[in-house]
Amino acid sequence: MSLEDPGLRMTTRPATPEEDRKDFLVEVACLRHEYHLNQEAIARRFGVSRSTISRALSEAERLGLVQVMVTEPMPREARLAEAIRDRYGVTTYVGMRLTGEPSQAAAARVMARVLERIAVGGNLTIAASWGRTLAQAAHLVRPRHSSGIAVVDAIGHAVGDQMAPAIEVTRTLATAFAATAVHLPSPAFADSEASLEFLLASPPVARVLQAARDAEVSLVSVGVVGDDSLLTQAGVVSPQVMRALVQRGAVGEILGRYYDRAGTVIEAPPLLPVGLSLDDLRASRRVIAAAGGARKADAVRAALAGGIVDELVVDDALAEALVRPPEG
């Protein structure tokens, strides 16, 4: 849904004049500081004068709605996040797509703000997965010095034009936070069971994986199954193996591990990831999943059902799909 859609101001009850005013101030502040529109463009969207927008921005600052970043999401984002929390019991951050903006970009923008808030206190370890949304979010993080932060790979090094490897996410975040980057000295997938056992027993690999398990925050992306799967497009999973996974009930993928609607892992013998397992994520302190697009709804629902993730960062299209009853 774009910012120009008539459903933007969906409400569940009549708002008071004070709430309407606050909603207006938050929307104006978001458009200026988060979406980087100028005052003239914002004025055209609301059909008001530029001076009205200028006064609204000043009022937003005076009321504390704007500090380094907007302190509240746009009203529709907040309502969708609340609906997901009510349905699934998880904290959710929703990004509204601008007109023509892809879902991935909207989710990445919000993820960047979430990461900035996480880093404020310093003194923590972040385990980072692969994924294009996470990689884009890492590049959108505004540089700041945060003491005592380490960013560690949650999976080995993936290659291919389609992949945004964990090492890229880790390195970019570490640079933005002036943090220590800890890389997993391993490929993302072993080529045999013997190689997997050797890698997992290797002290350098074991140390990094343990650091990832002990991280205060783990960041993951949610993948889909079928022809749209990034691992299939990258040539990591063959079409034949993918068809077998789908026939066995796979609906989603996290860290190279496929799972069914209950969040139960489905083993794929040719696919031998070197990284955190789904059980590792279940035991982790705080797992935040980033995903964009309504097509990922089934995969996200299953990850929540299986207790794999604790928090969500999504765009409005995926948020709307999650609050609708699943088909079938």
PDB file of all heavy atoms in Angstrom, residues 41 50 95 192:
ATOM      1  N   ALA A  41       7.130  19.243  -0.809  1.00  0.00           N
ATOM      2  CA  ALA A  41       6.531  17.962  -1.201  1.00  0.00           C
ATOM      3  C   ALA A  41       5.546  17.479  -0.141  1.00  0.00           C
ATOM      4  O   ALA A  41       4.469  16.948  -0.461  1.00  0.00           O
ATOM      5  CB  ALA A  41       7.626  16.925  -1.419  1.00  0.00           C
ATOM      6  N   ARG A  50       3.184  25.463   2.773  1.00  0.00           N
ATOM      7  CA  ARG A  50       4.516  25.105   3.266  1.00  0.00           C
ATOM      8  C   ARG A  50       4.728  25.628   4.682  1.00  0.00           C
ATOM      9  O   ARG A  50       5.374  24.969   5.510  1.00  0.00           O
ATOM     10  CB  ARG A  50       5.580  25.668   2.327  1.00  0.00           C
ATOM     11  CG  ARG A  50       7.005  25.258   2.662  1.00  0.00           C
ATOM     12  CD  ARG A  50       7.978  25.841   1.638  1.00  0.00           C
ATOM     13  NE  ARG A  50       9.343  25.510   1.965  1.00  0.00           N
ATOM     14  CZ  ARG A  50      10.096  26.160   2.853  1.00  0.00           C
ATOM     15  NH1 ARG A  50       9.574  27.188   3.511  1.00  0.00           N
ATOM     16  NH2 ARG A  50      11.355  25.799   3.083  1.00  0.00           N
ATOM     17  N   GLY A  95       7.296  -0.883   8.292  1.00  0.00           N
ATOM     18  CA  GLY A  95       7.717   0.212   7.426  1.00  0.00           C
ATOM     19  C   GLY A  95       6.719   0.419   6.304  1.00  0.00           C
ATOM     20  O   GLY A  95       6.343  -0.530   5.608  1.00  0.00           O
ATOM     21  N   SER A 192      30.055 -32.176   2.188  1.00  0.00           N
ATOM     22  CA  SER A 192      29.801 -33.551   2.598  1.00  0.00           C
ATOM     23  C   SER A 192      29.606 -33.581   4.109  1.00  0.00           C
ATOM     24  O   SER A 192      29.977 -32.638   4.823  1.00  0.00           O
ATOM     25  CB  SER A 192      30.966 -34.462   2.210  1.00  0.00           C
ATOM     26  OG  SER A 192      32.120 -34.134   2.962  1.00  0.00           O
TER      27      SER A 192
END
